[in-house]
């Protein structure tokens, strides 16, 4: 299991999903995107999460996309499949498919919309684990989208489960992150907010999954390198450079902003599926100022 955990202590791109003009997945440009990201230092891919428009894809599309990602990456880097949804049966179906094609590490958002009890949410994870032997689960803590904030207290039963290997912590509550890290040192904790990567490292995170990693992976590699060398001034400078870019992207909608930047770099990614709106001309002009920043 040690080797499996080591595989996860990486900087993962929350992989964007290129779309054509008819909102179909553009597999030709998906291959270009994956190979481009590997060339700039991305160490793994987190697939069908928020950045990959996972909840805007059908189960059939999610399966097909994962199959293509596995084929393209050809075991060069680890893959994590985000399989969470509102219905447990759908999640089990996606989990079995992922394991069947060799993706044994999955991430799951909690069930959303209905105000499920914490017991129901925990059972949702446990039902998937029970139904799919050998699966490794990462809890996806993203309260601003799901309304559920996982903590040391309410996630204790899950974090004590050996099939739960870690948490993707997309929350600004770094105190809660540090408390979980200290209580469960054998788990992998992924920073999920790119703008606080350096701070999350200081609180014990050992990995990252990020949307802006699609474009700016070299800067994240620098932050980690300088942090490990205890060169905190340079680490802060690299984090500030990331945040300068994120400030512009968030202003205009980060998912379409990343697609635009990648498209300007030669990998046509199209637009996010509706109801996401297209970027305005003014947004594109502002994003043009950060296209050439790459940290290389």
């Amino acid at each position: 299991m040690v080797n499996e955990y080591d595989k996860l202590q990486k900087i993962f791109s929350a992989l964007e999903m290129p779309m054509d003009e008819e909102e179909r997945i553009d597999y030709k440009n998906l291959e270009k995107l994956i190979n481009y990201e590997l060339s700039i230092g991305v160490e793994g891919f987190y697939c069908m999460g928020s950045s990959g428009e996972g909840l805007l894809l059908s189960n059939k599309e999610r399966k097909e996309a994962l199959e293509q990602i596995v084929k393209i990456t050809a075991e060069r880097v680890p893959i994590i499949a985000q399989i969470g949804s509102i219905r447990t049966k759908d999640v089990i179906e996606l989990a079995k498919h992922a394991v069947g094609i060799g993706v044994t590490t999955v991430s799951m958002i909690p069930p959303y919309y209905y105000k499920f009890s914490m017991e129901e949410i925990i059972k949702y994870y446990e039902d998937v684990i029970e139904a799919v032997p050998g699966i490794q689960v990462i809890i996806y803590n993203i309260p601003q989208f799901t309304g559920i904030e996982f903590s040391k207290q309410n996630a204790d039963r899950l974090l004590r489960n050996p099939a739960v290997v870690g948490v993707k912590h997309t929350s600004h509550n770094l105190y809660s992150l540090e408390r979980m890290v200290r209580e469960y040192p054998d788990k992998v904790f992924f920073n999920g907010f790119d703008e606080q990567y350096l701070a999350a490292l200081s609180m014990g995170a050992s990995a990252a999954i990020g949307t802006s990693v699609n474009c700016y992976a070299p800067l994240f590699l620098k932050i980690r390198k300088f942090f490990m060398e205890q060169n905190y001034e340079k680490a802060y400078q690299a984090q500030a450079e990331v945040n300068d870019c994120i400030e512009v992207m968030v202003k205009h909608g980060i998912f379409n902003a990343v697609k635009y930047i990648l498209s300007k770099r030669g990998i046509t990614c199209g637009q996010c599926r509706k109801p996401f709106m297209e970027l305005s001309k003014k947004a594109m002009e502002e994003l043009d100022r950060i296209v050439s920043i790459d940290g290389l």
Side-chain angles (χ1 to χ4, degrees), residues 110-111 116-125 148 150 158:
F116 294 107
S117 69
M118 187 53 64
E119 178 65 25
E120 288 169 327
I121 291 167
I122 290 171
K123 194 66 170 61
Y124 155 90
Y125 285 92
I148 302 299
F150 288 105
L158 287 177

Side-chain angles (χ1 to χ4, degrees), residues 4-177:
E4 290 300 314
Y5 277 80
D6 287 346
K7 287 180 184 178
L8 297 175
Q9 293 181 356
K10 309 284 186 182
I11 294 173
F12 286 77
S13 164
L15 187 64
E16 293 263 339
M17 191 63 65
M19 298 283 178
D20 66 18
E21 293 181 356
E22 302 299 320
E23 292 195 350
R24 295 171 300 206
I25 298 173
D26 184 343
Y27 288 115
K28 181 179 178 181
N29 278 298
L30 177 61
E31 181 171 7
K32 287 182 180 179
L33 176 59
I34 288 171
N35 287 324
Y36 166 74
E37 294 197 19
L38 290 173
S39 77
I40 63 170
V42 167
E43 298 174 333
F45 292 104
Y46 182 87
C47 313
M48 271 68 74
S50 306
S51 306
E53 300 171 64
L55 295 178
L56 294 175
L57 304 177
S58 67
N59 274 12
K60 181 174 183 289
E61 288 176 312
R62 290 169 81 166
K63 291 178 184 178
E64 290 174 351
L66 186 60
E67 289 169 9
Q68 288 301 309
I69 293 165
V70 168
K71 180 180 177 181
I72 295 163
T73 55
E75 299 183 348
R76 288 177 285 176
V77 294
I79 293 172
I80 301 170
Q82 199 294 115
I83 60 169
S85 189
I86 190 171
R87 192 169 71 148
T88 302
K89 185 177 179 180
D90 288 340
V91 182
I92 290 173
E93 178 186 332
L94 291 170
K96 288 180 176 179
H97 172 263
V99 171
I101 61 171
V103 180
T104 56
T105 304
V106 301
S107 175
M108 294 161 56
I109 57 169
Y112 50 89
Y113 184 74
Y114 298 104
K115 293 187 181 297
F116 294 107
S117 69
M118 187 53 64
E119 178 65 25
E120 288 169 327
I121 291 167
I122 290 171
K123 194 66 170 61
Y124 155 90
Y125 285 92
E126 291 174 339
D127 284 346
V128 176
I129 290 167
E130 183 179 352
V132 190
I135 202 165
Q136 297 186 145
V137 172
I138 296 166
I139 300 168
Y140 192 171
N141 187 33
I142 184 165
Q144 74 274 23
F145 283 0
T146 64
I148 302 299
E149 174 91 47
F150 288 105
S151 67
K152 181 181 78 170
Q153 289 77 23
N154 65 20
D156 175 71
R157 193 166 106 198
L158 287 177
L159 289 166
R160 285 188 282 108
N161 190 317
V164 174
V165 297
V167 177
K168 180 180 187 287
H169 189 75
T170 309
S171 166
H172 289 120
N173 190 339
L174 293 178
Y175 167 73
S176 180
L177 170 64

Side-chain angles (χ1 to χ4, degrees), residues 194-227:
D194 298 356
E195 62 269 29
Q196 64 182 29
Y197 178 46
L198 177 58
L201 287 175
S202 74
M203 287 298 204
S206 60
I209 297 169
T211 304
S212 63
V213 174
N214 283 272
C215 305
Y216 303 113
L219 288 171
F220 288 86
L221 294 169
K222 285 182 178 180
I223 293 168
R224 184 181 64 190
K225 174 179 180 291
F226 292 138
F227 178 81

